[in-house]
Amino acid sequence: MESAAVKSEGLVIPLIDFSRFLHGSPQQRQETADAILQGFQTAGFIYLKGLPIGPEARQRAFAASAAYFRQPAAAKLAQGWTTPEANRGYSAPGREKTTSLTDAEAVARLRAAAPDLKESVEIGREGDPDHPNIWPPEDGEGELREIGFKSTMLDFHDRCKQLHVEVMRAIAVGLGIDEQWFDAYTDEGDNTLRLLHYPEVPKDVFQANPGQVRAGAHSDFGSITLLFQDSRQGSPGGLLLGGLQVQSPTGVFVDATPIEDTCVVNAGDLLARWSNDRIKSTIHRVVEPPAGDGPVHPARYSIAYFCNPNFKSYIKAIPGTYETEKDLKYQGINSGEYLVQRLATTY
């Protein structure tokens, strides 16, 4: 019996042991797949434990991320994000505005009123000849060379890619289609590893502007997102820091509190579309963590891995999610073109 990681305001996000799907009996695999699909259908979010990505790999990735953001501002800006087509490189605080709005002018107004208080770097599939990754230099005696930033991130990207494949296989089993049905859509790994740093913020920033958040309310664009919450970098007493909130059926934003050794997984807009809306893509945001002592909210780090169908893939409703052509809610669409359109509105 799976437990609930979050249960409030009609929102129930299950905590699921994924090792039962990876290594369990046929019955355990089916039960786990059913629980994953149900979580995506009702909440749009699940927590997974029993991950194939161990704590050592996660700790290395978080340490390398913190080292990246310790670079001087000028160095990070030299590695800056360029275009929606590439979606690689560094974004300074205020550059991106996560929102559900799609009108560029409306997004610009919102960005000016309450910019997201975060910085990030995007790392895509390595070896793309048209859109190479933008790596920081690792020469000399610098910290990034010592920690092996590039090799650490490529390793973590690969580990997340395989987890993406396995989660999609679980969804396929839950839907009652061939377990490998999604494999042809996930083999190229057109996914984005995003390192996120929410710098320490004086508490009065939020008090002065009630609309201020660390990342605005939005849904994700792709198929699923793997979110590794909160390293202990900079946290008081080594405590995990929160801030992620998920919108409940009543419209209230509910805390999705970090749980040690888990990954939060949410469905994105493209998977909702792909499933003919049988799967939900749920609005979420990042706010300041619960207030503690002192005048500032400490820095927060997280790592998101945005999973997409291969950019060349043509996405139309998954078998079994509709009975007749009249039941189709969406026309087919190219995965890469769809994601570029969505990215173009947020930067």
Side-chain angles (χ1 to χ4, degrees):
M1 189 75 177
E2 304 296 343
S3 59
V6 175
K7 189 174 184 180
S8 180
E9 293 288 336
L11 178 71
V12 179
I13 302 179
L15 172 60
I16 299 169
D17 184 354
F18 197 52
S19 67
R20 297 176 79 249
F21 181 79
L22 295 174
H23 310 298
S25 66
Q27 180 179 346
Q28 289 174 324
R29 298 183 83 249
Q30 184 67 57
E31 290 172 350
T32 306
D34 291 344
I36 287 171
L37 180 62
Q38 183 179 21
F40 284 145
Q41 288 177 328
T42 58
F45 274 76
I46 61 175
Y47 283 62
L48 292 182
K49 63 181 181 179
L51 298 169
I53 304 175
E56 298 83 3
R58 299 196 302 270
Q59 290 164 9
R60 284 196 303 270
F62 272 110
S65 173
Y68 180 93
F69 291 115
R70 282 195 290 270
Q71 293 182 99
K76 290 183 287 188
L77 288 170
Q79 302 151 25
W81 190 91
T82 52
T83 66
E85 290 76 14
N87 193 30
R88 286 161 166 82
Y90 171 75
S91 294
R95 172 75 187 272
E96 181 193 19
K97 182 60 187 178
T98 51
T99 174
S100 295
L101 298 174
T102 57
D103 178 74
E105 292 184 3
V107 174
R109 289 194 296 272
L110 185 60
R111 181 188 294 113
D116 285 355
L117 300 179
K118 69 176 187 294
E119 57 180 343
S120 64
V121 62
E122 319 290 326
I123 300 167
R125 174 171 60 87
E126 182 75 344
D128 186 328
D130 297 319
H131 304 297
N133 281 311
I134 304 172
W135 297 108
E138 295 185 31
D139 50 6
E141 301 298 323
E143 183 181 18
L144 291 175
R145 179 183 180 183
E146 181 179 344
I147 208 165
F149 178 82
K150 179 178 178 179
S151 61
T152 297
M153 291 308 155
L154 289 178
D155 174 72
F156 201 72
H157 197 291
D158 286 345
R159 291 172 186 265
C160 290
K161 175 188 173 184
Q162 187 55 42
L163 179 55
H164 172 214
V165 170
E166 295 294 349
V167 173
M168 297 306 292
R169 287 175 177 172
I171 292 171
V173 172
L175 287 171
I177 60 177
D178 184 84
E179 181 176 333
Q180 279 79 41
W181 192 86
F182 289 108
D183 284 9
Y185 295 90
T186 59
D187 56 347
E188 293 191 6
D190 283 326
N191 309 317
T192 298
L193 177 64
R194 166 180 275 195
L195 311 181
L196 284 152
H197 173 220
Y198 302 91
E200 103 174 357
V201 183
K203 291 180 180 177
D204 58 13
V205 169
F206 295 97
Q207 295 164 359
N209 185 356
Q212 183 65 66
V213 292
R214 279 178 155 172
H218 65 285
S219 57
D220 291 346
F221 304 154
S223 53
I224 62 172
T225 301
L226 313 176
L227 178 65
F228 301 88
Q229 290 202 77
D230 295 319
S231 83
R232 298 171 187 270
Q233 298 285 339
S235 60
L239 298 175
L240 291 170
L241 297 172
L244 175 66
Q245 294 186 329
V246 179
Q247 191 173 48
S248 72
T250 64
V252 174
F253 279 94
V254 174
D255 290 331
T257 305
I259 298 175
E260 189 79 36
D261 292 328
T262 67
C263 174
V264 177
V265 187
N266 64 282
D269 295 345
L270 193 52
L271 182 56
R273 180 181 182 127
W274 206 357
S275 70
N276 208 36
D277 282 344
R278 286 187 60 183
I279 287 172
K280 294 179 62 174
S281 178
T282 305
I283 300 290
H284 52 285
R285 66 183 185 182
V286 180
V287 299
E288 73 275 19
D293 297 332
V296 301
H297 291 295
R300 176 180 185 258
Y301 294 84
S302 63
I303 298 176
Y305 188 77
F306 295 102
C307 304
N308 309 301
N310 298 335
F311 288 163
K312 68 182 181 183
S313 296
Y314 186 74
I315 302 303
K316 57 183 181 180
I318 299 166
T321 61
Y322 65 98
E323 292 184 6
T324 69
E325 295 291 321
K326 292 181 179 180
D327 299 322
L328 293 174
K329 296 184 178 181
Y330 305 98
Q331 294 181 335
I333 193 169
N334 173 266
S335 170
E337 292 175 2
Y338 173 83
L339 293 164
V340 167
Q341 290 169 8
R342 296 295 304 275
L343 280 166
T345 65
T346 67
Y347 286 88

